[in-house]
Amino acid sequence: MKRVCLFGLSANPPTGNGGHVGIVKALSALPLHPQQENSREKFDEIRVLPVYRHMFASKRGKQASYDDRLEMCKLAFQDIPRVIVSDDERICFHKIANEKGIVNQEEMNKLRVGTAELLEMLMEQEPMTEFSFALGQDTFMDLTTFKWRRTRDIFSLLNARLVVFHRKQQQESDHEDACDVLQQRICHIAKELKEVCPTLEENLTIVHVKLSSISSTKVRETTDESFLQEALHPHVLQYIKDKQLYAFSQNIN
């Protein structure tokens, strides 16, 4: 079985080593057997998935275009081994729209296509692939409090193969407290979904990473190049300037 880890993100824009790039680098280097020296990598492929249409209507229209975000991802992750930037979210959305016979924009705007539908499409297309899904701790909390559509189906389809990124806290006591909260949530959801996914605690992986608190909002709101050089891959910063995205659009004469 080919082992693929999916990593979805808004990519508005994708942040650098202190954010999205740091997470994808960690995924690429994650060992299959952490206790063994020179263990092979856990995943054969890291598949980066920019969000095509945000599930929350309030966030639509406030992002750079999908094509721009897709291109920025290709620039941000191009140097990381085994990483593929994929158009799968767009493909899935239009596949379901076609199956439902949706052709007009009003109906398109009402169509909801989420992670479960994406997983079903990928598993049908790639039956010899074992998929995992990477997400941050806050996103994991949202998933496990059933804020996502078809939460139970997501856990079942993945057999709980989730990689949860926990940001290390500066203070050891704060780090331990945050770890306790995460572990309590895992224990709770394991009981909640025992019938659907009995191997949840065994299959779920927690990765502790040192990442800076890079705010995508701040990135979008500033033209301060000293900050942006720290926050973004240099090719992404150049793309934003060339395309006059975000705060740079205000400089258009």
Side-chain angles (χ1 to χ4, degrees), residues 221-238:
E221 291 177 348
T222 185
T223 58
D224 180 353
E225 292 204 29
S226 61
F227 166 74
L228 293 173
Q229 286 168 1
E230 292 291 326
L232 299 171
H233 187 290
H235 292 337
V236 173
L237 174 56
Q238 190 61 51

Side-chain angles (χ1 to χ4, degrees), residues 46-50 69-71 73-75 77-78 83-87:
I46 314 300
R47 195 174 301 180
V48 175
L49 302 163
R69 291 183 289 111
L70 186 72
E71 187 60 33
C73 282
K74 291 177 181 178
L75 294 170
F77 306 116
Q78 62 183 336
V83 173
I84 300 295
V85 176
S86 170
D87 201 22

